[in-house]
Amino acid sequence: MASKSDQPTNRLQAELKKRRPFDSPHQEAVLNVLRTNDQFQNKFGRLFRHYGLTASQYNVLRILRGEAKPMPCLEIADRMIQVVPAITGLIDRLEAQELVIRQRCREDRRVVFVALTDKARKLLDTMDEPVMSLHRGLMGHLTQLELKELSRLLEKARQRVDSAQLPGDQTPSP
Amino acid sequence: MASKSDQPTNRLQAELKKRRPFDSPHQEAVLNVLRTNDQFQNKFGRLFRHYGLTASQYNVLRILRGEAKPMPCLEIADRMIQVVPAITGLIDRLEAQELVIRQRCREDRRVVFVALTDKARKLLDTMDEPVMSLHRGLMGHLTQLELKELSRLLEKARQRVDSAQLPGDQTPSP
DNA sequence: TGTAAATAATCTACATGTAAACCTTTATGT
DNA sequence: ACATAAAGGTTTACATGTAGATTATTTACA
């Protein structure tokens, strides 16, 4: 039972069923990023699940295929945006599915190499077309110019992430 | 040991330490969205944690404050992008922190209303400035025109999310 | 009226992301 | 050589997101 004055005047505002307009265009842009991400993640999640994988698992496999040789756990974690401990369980489950194997390095017995199996390579090959097709399906209605501009703006947005101040943050860049 | 021809020629490519260029501008734009989201989530996550909240918890509180009156669980869930079952645990933890209270509706005994407490209102007020400040910190270096264009492009991107075809998907819109 | 269908919320099971502590192995400093 | 620090992984604890099943109520309708 919204009162008459509560009509959203904006698409994102309507999507989120927000009564009031955004505090600032900054906030609106940030929420647009989060919202778009959620919808994309949702789509890709379903696609990957169709092949028995999660998004993170697919991501690990893609990284390994791109590298074309076994990689240490932490190097994989480094290329994902994740933090260290999550990688262990991830690799555990991929190993249980026989998509990767672990082998301890002989020179430095601390490091564990992770390698793709043939099964994983075949699975990835099968997924290539559907994945690319989904990328096109999600973004194909934007012009080349719009795609380029979108990427440029998002990259520009990320430039300040590291220096953005948090309340308790006592370490500006020296 | 990357060979000479493996130099990334692109910012995102470099960030992800990707050897090869992207398959398509569509893919690049999608990955830019995901990457930007991760970095933003990370920043906001830390800010919220500083106040003893997670991003989802803060989101619930904001929705309740915006509505300005008690809401049924599912209506809250509906405004988040999440699926139903997760909301229960979320409310449980907020209730344990005395930030919300549950009250069963008398007319329809299936629904449970969730209401903000004064403690939550005070906490939200405390957080308003830092949160807005972070929004500005993340996006303040984009011009008003760029912010508007970014929001426009992201909204345009979301327009096709629902109709984007998945492999096993036998239900195009009728 | 009585039964089936729809709703609101919850529970369970599993994969993930975050933080902090820990173990083993390797590198360093004196 | 020995103590210490650093590095690579793992473990534990907790909050979340997804899917599917379940309970309690309410609504629809034959």
Side-chain angles (χ1 to χ4, degrees):
Chain A
M1 315 199 185
S3 73
K4 286 173 259 177
S5 59
D6 287 339
Q7 300 308 318
T9 58
N10 168 301
R11 186 189 158 83
L12 177 60
Q13 197 183 336
E15 280 182 35
L16 300 178
K17 305 195 176 90
K18 228 171 160 301
R19 292 285 166 81
R20 268 165 291 191
F22 296 100
D23 296 335
S24 68
H26 310 105
Q27 186 196 22
E28 182 172 359
V30 170
L31 294 185
N32 264 310
V33 170
L34 306 191
R35 175 84 173 167
T36 308
N37 173 80
D38 281 327
Q39 298 198 353
F40 284 6
Q41 289 278 6
N42 192 294
K43 274 289 179 185
F44 278 105
R46 271 187 257 172
L47 174 57
F48 296 143
R49 200 174 314 124
H50 187 263
Y51 294 94
L53 295 178
T54 64
S56 294
Q57 290 172 358
Y58 177 76
N59 203 352
V60 169
L61 298 183
R62 278 294 292 257
I63 289 169
L64 283 167
R65 186 176 65 172
E67 188 69 13
K69 64 187 176 205
M71 292 173 73
C73 284
L74 288 192
E75 196 169 329
I76 298 173
D78 191 47
R79 303 223 189 162
M80 322 252 310
I81 307 101
Q82 309 174 249
V83 150
V84 183
I87 203 71
T88 302
L90 244 176
I91 305 291
D92 285 347
R93 278 165 229 120
L94 287 171
E95 198 171 27
Q97 289 189 64
E98 301 182 1
L99 295 172
V100 302
I101 53 174
R102 278 184 166 98
Q103 23 188 190
R104 196 164 280 278
C105 176
R106 272 174 304 282
E107 295 92 61
D108 185 340
R109 294 179 37 73
R110 288 172 305 181
V111 347
V112 174
F113 279 103
V114 181
L116 277 189
T117 63
D118 283 339
K119 183 177 171 188
R121 278 190 206 88
K122 283 187 191 114
L123 177 60
L124 284 176
D125 289 346
T126 308
M127 294 175 70
D128 279 343
E129 202 286 317
V131 168
M132 196 169 333
S133 168
L134 181 53
H135 277 122
R136 277 195 311 268
L138 289 174
M139 287 301 212
H141 60 301
L142 273 71
T143 67
Q144 294 290 315
L145 215 66
E146 285 177 328
L147 289 172
K148 230 184 130 177
E149 179 67 358
L150 178 54
S151 285
R152 182 186 77 80
L153 291 171
L154 290 169
E155 285 174 8
K156 180 166 180 181
R158 288 203 302 279
Q159 284 173 10
R160 283 292 199 291
V161 168
D162 288 332
S163 53
Q165 283 296 307
L166 264 56
D169 217 342
Q170 300 304 339
T171 50
S173 31
Chain B
M1 312 202 188
S3 73
K4 284 172 263 180
S5 57
D6 287 338
Q7 300 307 319
T9 57
N10 169 303
R11 188 189 155 84
L12 176 60
Q13 198 184 334
E15 280 183 37
L16 301 178
K17 304 193 177 90
K18 227 171 159 304
R19 293 286 166 82
R20 268 166 290 191
F22 297 101
D23 297 335
S24 68
H26 310 106
Q27 186 195 23
E28 181 172 359
V30 169
L31 293 186
N32 263 311
V33 170
L34 306 191
R35 176 82 173 168
T36 307
N37 173 80
D38 281 328
Q39 298 198 353
F40 283 6
Q41 289 278 8
N42 192 294
K43 274 289 180 184
F44 279 104
R46 270 187 257 173
L47 173 57
F48 295 142
R49 200 176 312 124
H50 187 263
Y51 294 94
L53 295 177
T54 65
S56 295
Q57 291 173 357
Y58 177 75
N59 205 352
V60 170
L61 298 183
R62 278 295 292 256
I63 289 169
L64 284 168
R65 185 175 67 172
E67 188 69 11
K69 64 187 176 206
M71 292 172 74
C73 284
L74 288 192
E75 197 169 328
I76 298 173
D78 191 48
R79 304 223 190 161
M80 321 252 308
I81 306 101
Q82 309 173 253
V83 150
V84 185
I87 204 71
T88 301
L90 244 177
I91 304 291
D92 285 347
R93 278 164 228 118
L94 287 171
E95 198 170 26
Q97 288 189 66
E98 299 181 0
L99 295 172
V100 301
I101 53 174
R102 278 185 168 99
Q103 22 189 188
R104 197 164 280 276
C105 176
R106 273 174 305 279
E107 293 92 62
D108 185 339
R109 295 179 39 71
R110 289 172 303 182
V111 348
V112 174
F113 279 103
V114 181
L116 277 189
T117 63
D118 283 341
K119 183 177 172 189
R121 280 191 204 89
K122 284 189 190 113
L123 177 60
L124 284 176
D125 289 347
T126 308
M127 295 175 70
D128 280 344
E129 202 286 317
V131 168
M132 195 171 330
S133 168
L134 181 53
H135 278 121
R136 278 194 311 269
L138 290 174
M139 286 300 211
H141 59 300
L142 274 71
T143 67
Q144 294 291 315
L145 215 67
E146 284 177 328
L147 289 173
K148 231 183 128 177
E149 179 67 359
L150 178 54
S151 285
R152 182 186 79 79
L153 291 171
L154 290 170
E155 286 175 7
K156 180 166 180 180
R158 290 202 301 279
Q159 284 173 9
R160 283 290 200 290
V161 169
D162 289 331
S163 54
Q165 284 297 309
L166 264 59
D169 217 342
Q170 300 306 338
T171 51
S173 30

